Amino acid sequence: MSRFRGFGVVAWRELLTVVRTRSYLLLSAGLLLVFVGVLRVAGGIGGGYVPTAVDLLLPLELLVPLVAVALGYRAFSGENDDRPVLRTYPLSKSALVAGVFAGRFVGLAGIVGGPLVAVGLAVSQIGGPESRVFAVHHGVDSPILFVRFIALTLCFGAVVLAMAMAVSVLVRNSRAALAAALAVLVAVVAGGDLVALLGLSAGSISDDLLGTVLAVGPNAAYRGLVLESVVGVVTDRSNAINVPAAVFGLGGWLGVSLLIVWFGLDRRPALLLQNALDRARSLGLRRRLWARLRRRG
Amino acid sequence: MSDRSVLRLDGVAKSFGTVDVLSDISVSIPAGELVAVIGPNGSGKTTLLRAIVGDLRPTGGSISYTGPDTNRPIGYLPQRPTFRSGFTAAETLAFYSALVDGAAPEILLERVGLEAAAGRNVENLSGGMRQLLGIAQAIVGDPPLVILDEPASGLDPNMSEYVFETAAEIASEDRTVLLSSHDLTLVEETADRVVVLHQGRVAASGTLETLSSRFGTDSLRGVLNAIVGDTARVSVLGGEQ
Amino acid sequence: MYIMTEISRETPTLTLSKVGHSYGSIDVLDDVSFDIRSGEVTAIIGPNGAGKTTLLKAIVGLHDPARGEIRYNGPAASRPIGYLQQHPAFRPGQTVKEAITFYGSLVDESELDADARLEQVGLTAAADRAVEDLSGGMTRLAGIAQATVGDPPLVVLDEPASGLDPGMSVRIFEVAEELTETGAAVLLSSHDLALVERTADRVLLLDDGTVARDGSPALICSELGVESLLDAFEAAISGEAGTVTVRGETA
């Protein structure tokens, strides 16, 4: 059997699992409600695609990691974990990891992308006259920009999904699985910005380096890329971020996370740590016993 | 009986932290037989089977598969199989089958007598049906060695007997079944060969006749009693203080 | 309505009347009525899929039966019903003793009680082992210890001997018997018919979601004119040996 085939079979099962989990569908409906609420308050929808994207940017920075964590944190545990059995099939670990990631990513794309497409369609109906024109030149609103926005959002989702999967593999079989997944969420949402902010105020990051430093955090990189390639096209106000650094940063997080999944899958890092501690403790105990014996002797 | 072996274990050891769960297991599993691993709770049966499947890495010794070269050399039913909710029995098998170009789910379900439940979701299967589905999964792709960890656990007497009959059918000219069980009567009725584990070591192994004559008893229970003695208390390896 | 004026030994610990339950369109339990009396080991036997686990879960209160009534009439206790689930599980990261002590602390029991409970099921040597490192059978033994915490007047054990070696199985049935000597009622399900025959005061044969037979092992055997409970099981159940009856489908 070709490697590709195993990947496809695993990805398909993963996607079906997502589709058949009702709470994920609810999540998607919830997203749509939030989008509608945000846009009603902010009013961007009447202004066209780019104002809509600007209004949705901040909520998405929080909601996409949330969806990614929900999809990723149990990918290899509980009843989703049949690796003892899969081991007896000609399925490489790479195909398994890639398949699980791909299937869940397609699920995420549906959960997040569906409501966004719905919003895009709504803009085409109620947005300003410019919104009905496909324009590619600078300074004009266009559905193409919104598609670009969706694509960037999904790329961001892919990165955070991989991170959530990596953490879930590292801490599985321990009580901390969900807590750790949520820690990823917080780190992604606030961590990068916080580090940049701290660096800035401490004076260790100069202003011209800020764009690069910000690009390292997934959230800031996503925000920067949206501002650069969606909003910036219309407003001619760009250079918010170092684009190559942002792309490299997102790619790096994705790659490293998937590597962690790949390496962590057959080992139980949490358990290894615990065993090491146990051994250290029993050694310590023995040493103390020896010391006591020697004192007596 | 043939002299070909399908699996060879040589001095296999496994420890968890400071606890030695298996020590110096050397055994050869002949092809085409039904081999049963028996022993008291905590004697290392599941650990041994998991090490053979590759789900655990032994800390010593070697395990080598010596059977024919195929896509899926070893099939495996874990002690507690997991299935994804929301999938039917047939869909579940279709997934595994697609990984090895195996038989159609209907054919697999028929082999374990579960064809009537093909369209039922796995979370609505009774314990026995889940076990049968697990056995069907273990024989996907016709592996030469099928490992079943307590296939009859939690099954009613009729179903247990049925599962052992199915296992005996699977074990044939070129297919070997290695299973663990606590049901000594059924093991006696179906197994060609028995491996008795006690405290992580092979306490005895051989055909029923050799074991009976060696321990001077006519039943497997007698053999186990002779080896283990009082089992009303779990003896824990590394647990003695 | 008839009012009981005194709680006597005759007052059943638990009364089930016309209990029925369905999963979707599949009837799993249908019109099940019986009493559980203190000081007795009552064993539920029956083929896989007969509804044993569903019934026990309803008794413990894990789900409300769709129809009928289940009433606990036993003495007031901080823990009226103890329960061993079919697949016992403990939160990882604690030792066996810690796990049992935790449940004990919910009913004001001490660590010494935990020791005694582990001793009763023969797990003393594994007391300091992490629960996730227990073998399947040992996890079940720890689950049985958990089910007896707080000395509940009714102890419900779902397949306590499944996955246990023959020696341990015998021991567990002895533990069940010991519990009834202190006045508790024990309700257990099992596939080990030889042990049920030896231990149970009363057997309920569940088939197809209904109580097909109810009585002492000897009574059931004589009713069916057979020698052993195993023969009774085979004679009484509707399905043929070796075929899996799938409820709600035309098999």
Coordinates of all heavy atoms in Angstrom, one line a residue, chain A residues 188-233:
Chain A
V188 N -0.8 31.7 23.1 CA -0.9 32.1 21.7 C -1.6 33.5 21.6 O -1.2 34.4 20.9 CB -1.7 31.1 20.9 CG1 -2.1 31.6 19.5 CG2 -0.9 29.8 20.7
V189 N -2.7 33.6 22.4 CA -3.5 34.8 22.3 C -2.7 36.0 22.8 O -2.7 37.1 22.3 CB -4.8 34.6 23.0 CG1 -5.5 35.9 23.1 CG2 -5.6 33.6 22.3
A190 N -2.0 35.8 24.0 CA -1.4 37.0 24.6 C 0.1 36.9 24.7 O 0.7 38.0 24.7 CB -2.0 37.1 26.0
G191 N 0.6 35.7 24.6 CA 2.1 35.6 24.8 C 3.0 36.4 24.0 O 3.8 37.2 24.5
G192 N 2.8 36.3 22.7 CA 3.7 37.0 21.7 C 3.7 38.5 21.9 O 4.7 39.2 22.1
D193 N 2.5 39.0 22.0 CA 2.3 40.5 22.2 C 2.9 40.9 23.5 O 3.6 42.0 23.6 CB 0.8 40.8 22.2 CG 0.2 40.6 20.8 OD1 1.0 40.4 19.9 OD2 -1.0 40.6 20.7
L194 N 2.7 40.1 24.5 CA 3.2 40.4 25.9 C 4.7 40.5 25.9 O 5.3 41.5 26.4 CB 2.7 39.4 26.9 CG 2.5 39.8 28.3 CD1 1.4 40.9 28.3 CD2 2.1 38.7 29.2
V195 N 5.3 39.5 25.2 CA 6.8 39.5 25.2 C 7.3 40.8 24.4 O 8.2 41.4 24.9 CB 7.3 38.2 24.5 CG1 8.8 38.3 24.1 CG2 7.1 37.0 25.4
A196 N 6.6 41.0 23.3 CA 7.0 42.2 22.6 C 6.9 43.5 23.4 O 7.8 44.4 23.4 CB 6.2 42.3 21.3
L197 N 5.8 43.5 24.1 CA 5.5 44.7 24.9 C 6.5 44.9 26.0 O 7.0 46.0 26.2 CB 4.1 44.6 25.5 CG 3.4 45.9 26.0 CD1 3.1 46.7 24.7 CD2 2.1 45.5 26.7
L198 N 6.8 43.8 26.7 CA 7.8 43.8 27.7 C 9.1 44.2 27.2 O 9.8 45.1 27.8 CB 7.9 42.4 28.4 CG 6.7 42.0 29.3 CD1 6.9 40.6 29.8 CD2 6.7 43.0 30.5
G199 N 9.5 43.7 26.1 CA 10.8 44.0 25.5 C 10.9 45.5 25.1 O 11.9 46.1 25.3
L200 N 9.8 46.0 24.6 CA 9.7 47.4 24.2 C 9.9 48.3 25.4 O 10.6 49.2 25.3 CB 8.4 47.6 23.5 CG 8.3 48.7 22.5 CD1 9.3 48.5 21.4 CD2 6.9 48.9 21.9
S201 N 9.1 48.0 26.4 CA 9.2 48.9 27.6 C 10.5 48.8 28.3 O 10.9 49.7 28.9 CB 8.0 48.5 28.5 OG 8.1 47.2 29.0
A202 N 11.1 47.6 28.2 CA 12.4 47.4 28.9 C 13.5 48.0 28.0 O 14.7 48.1 28.4 CB 12.7 46.0 29.2
G203 N 13.2 48.4 26.8 CA 14.1 49.0 25.9 C 15.1 48.0 25.2 O 16.0 48.4 24.5
S204 N 14.8 46.7 25.4 CA 15.7 45.7 24.8 C 15.3 45.5 23.3 O 16.0 44.9 22.6 CB 15.7 44.4 25.5 OG 14.4 44.0 25.7
I205 N 14.1 46.0 22.9 CA 13.7 45.9 21.5 C 13.5 47.3 21.0 O 12.8 48.1 21.5 CB 12.4 45.1 21.4 CG1 12.5 43.7 21.9 CG2 11.9 45.1 19.9 CD1 11.2 43.0 21.9
S206 N 14.3 47.6 19.9 CA 14.1 48.9 19.3 C 12.9 48.9 18.4 O 12.4 47.9 18.0 CB 15.4 49.2 18.5 OG 15.5 48.3 17.5
D207 N 12.5 50.1 18.1 CA 11.2 50.3 17.3 C 11.3 49.6 16.0 O 10.4 49.0 15.5 CB 10.9 51.8 17.1 CG 10.2 52.3 18.3 OD1 10.0 51.5 19.3 OD2 9.8 53.5 18.3
D208 N 12.5 49.6 15.3 CA 12.6 49.1 14.0 C 12.7 47.6 14.0 O 12.5 46.9 13.0 CB 13.7 49.7 13.2 CG 15.0 49.8 14.0 OD1 14.9 49.9 15.3 OD2 16.1 49.6 13.5
L209 N 12.9 47.0 15.2 CA 13.0 45.6 15.3 C 11.6 45.0 15.7 O 11.3 43.8 15.5 CB 14.0 45.1 16.4 CG 15.3 44.5 16.0 CD1 16.1 44.1 17.2 CD2 15.0 43.2 15.1
L210 N 10.7 45.9 16.1 CA 9.4 45.5 16.6 C 8.6 44.6 15.7 O 8.1 43.5 16.0 CB 8.6 46.7 17.0 CG 7.2 46.3 17.7 CD1 7.5 45.7 19.0 CD2 6.4 47.6 17.9
G211 N 8.6 45.0 14.4 CA 7.9 44.3 13.4 C 8.4 42.8 13.3 O 7.6 41.9 13.1
T212 N 9.7 42.6 13.5 CA 10.2 41.3 13.4 C 9.9 40.5 14.6 O 9.5 39.3 14.5 CB 11.8 41.3 13.2 OG1 12.0 42.3 12.1 CG2 12.3 40.0 12.8
V213 N 10.1 41.1 15.8 CA 9.8 40.4 17.0 C 8.3 40.0 17.1 O 8.0 38.9 17.5 CB 10.2 41.3 18.2 CG1 9.7 40.7 19.5 CG2 11.7 41.5 18.3
L214 N 7.5 40.9 16.7 CA 6.0 40.6 16.7 C 5.7 39.4 15.8 O 4.8 38.6 16.1 CB 5.2 41.8 16.2 CG 4.8 42.8 17.3 CD1 4.1 44.0 16.7 CD2 3.9 42.1 18.3
A215 N 6.4 39.3 14.7 CA 6.1 38.2 13.8 C 6.4 36.8 14.4 O 5.9 35.8 13.8 CB 7.0 38.4 12.5
V216 N 7.1 36.8 15.5 CA 7.4 35.4 16.0 C 6.2 34.8 16.7 O 6.0 33.6 16.6 CB 8.6 35.6 17.0 CG1 8.8 34.3 17.7 CG2 9.8 36.0 16.2
G217 N 5.4 35.6 17.3 CA 4.2 35.1 17.9 C 3.1 34.8 16.9 O 2.9 35.7 16.0
P218 N 2.5 33.7 16.9 CA 1.5 33.3 15.9 C 0.4 34.3 15.7 O 0.0 34.7 14.6 CB 0.9 32.0 16.3 CG 1.8 31.5 17.4 CD 2.6 32.6 17.9
N219 N -0.1 34.8 16.9 CA -1.2 35.8 16.8 C -0.8 37.1 16.1 O -1.5 37.6 15.2 CB -1.7 36.2 18.2 CG -3.0 35.6 18.5 OD1 -3.2 34.4 18.2 ND2 -3.9 36.4 19.0
A220 N 0.3 37.6 16.5 CA 0.8 38.9 16.0 C 1.1 38.7 14.5 O 0.9 39.6 13.7 CB 2.0 39.4 16.8
A221 N 1.7 37.5 14.2 CA 2.0 37.3 12.8 C 0.8 37.3 11.9 O 0.7 37.8 10.8 CB 2.8 35.9 12.7
Y222 N -0.3 36.6 12.4 CA -1.5 36.5 11.7 C -2.1 37.9 11.5 O -2.4 38.4 10.4 CB -2.5 35.6 12.5 CG -4.0 35.8 12.1 CD1 -4.4 35.5 10.8 CD2 -4.9 36.2 13.1 CE1 -5.8 35.7 10.5 CE2 -6.2 36.3 12.8 CZ -6.7 36.1 11.5 OH -8.0 36.2 11.2
R223 N -2.1 38.7 12.6 CA -2.7 40.0 12.6 C -1.9 40.9 11.6 O -2.4 41.6 10.7 CB -2.6 40.7 14.0 CG -3.3 42.0 14.1 CD -3.0 42.7 15.4 NE -3.0 41.7 16.5 CZ -2.1 41.6 17.4 NH1 -1.0 42.3 17.3 NH2 -2.2 40.7 18.4
G224 N -0.6 40.8 11.7 CA 0.3 41.6 10.8 C 0.1 41.2 9.3 O 0.0 42.1 8.5
L225 N -0.1 39.9 9.1 CA -0.2 39.5 7.7 C -1.6 40.0 7.1 O -1.7 40.4 6.0 CB -0.1 38.0 7.5 CG 1.3 37.5 7.6 CD1 1.3 35.9 7.6 CD2 2.2 38.0 6.5
V226 N -2.6 40.0 8.0 CA -3.9 40.5 7.5 C -3.8 42.0 7.3 O -4.3 42.5 6.3 CB -5.0 40.2 8.6 CG1 -6.3 40.9 8.3 CG2 -5.3 38.7 8.7
L227 N -3.2 42.7 8.2 CA -3.1 44.2 8.0 C -2.3 44.5 6.8 O -2.6 45.4 6.0 CB -2.4 44.8 9.3 CG -3.2 44.8 10.5 CD1 -2.4 45.3 11.7 CD2 -4.5 45.6 10.3
E228 N -1.3 43.7 6.5 CA -0.4 43.9 5.4 C -1.0 43.6 4.1 O -1.0 44.4 3.2 CB 0.9 43.0 5.6 CG 1.9 43.2 4.5 CD 2.7 44.5 4.7 OE1 2.8 45.0 5.9 OE2 3.1 45.1 3.7
S229 N -1.6 42.4 4.0 CA -2.0 42.0 2.6 C -3.5 42.1 2.4 O -4.0 41.8 1.3 CB -1.6 40.5 2.4 OG -2.3 39.7 3.4
V230 N -4.3 42.5 3.4 CA -5.7 42.7 3.2 C -6.1 44.2 3.4 O -6.5 44.9 2.5 CB -6.6 41.8 4.1 CG1 -8.1 42.1 3.9 CG2 -6.3 40.4 3.9
V231 N -5.8 44.6 4.6 CA -6.1 46.0 4.9 C -5.2 47.0 4.2 O -5.6 48.0 3.6 CB -6.1 46.3 6.4 CG1 -6.5 47.7 6.8 CG2 -7.0 45.3 7.1
G232 N -3.9 46.7 4.2 CA -2.9 47.5 3.7 C -3.1 47.8 2.2 O -2.8 48.9 1.7
V233 N -3.7 46.9 1.5 CA -3.9 47.0 0.0 C -4.8 48.2 -0.2 O -4.7 48.9 -1.2 CB -4.5 45.7 -0.6 CG1 -4.9 45.9 -2.0 CG2 -3.5 44.6 -0.4

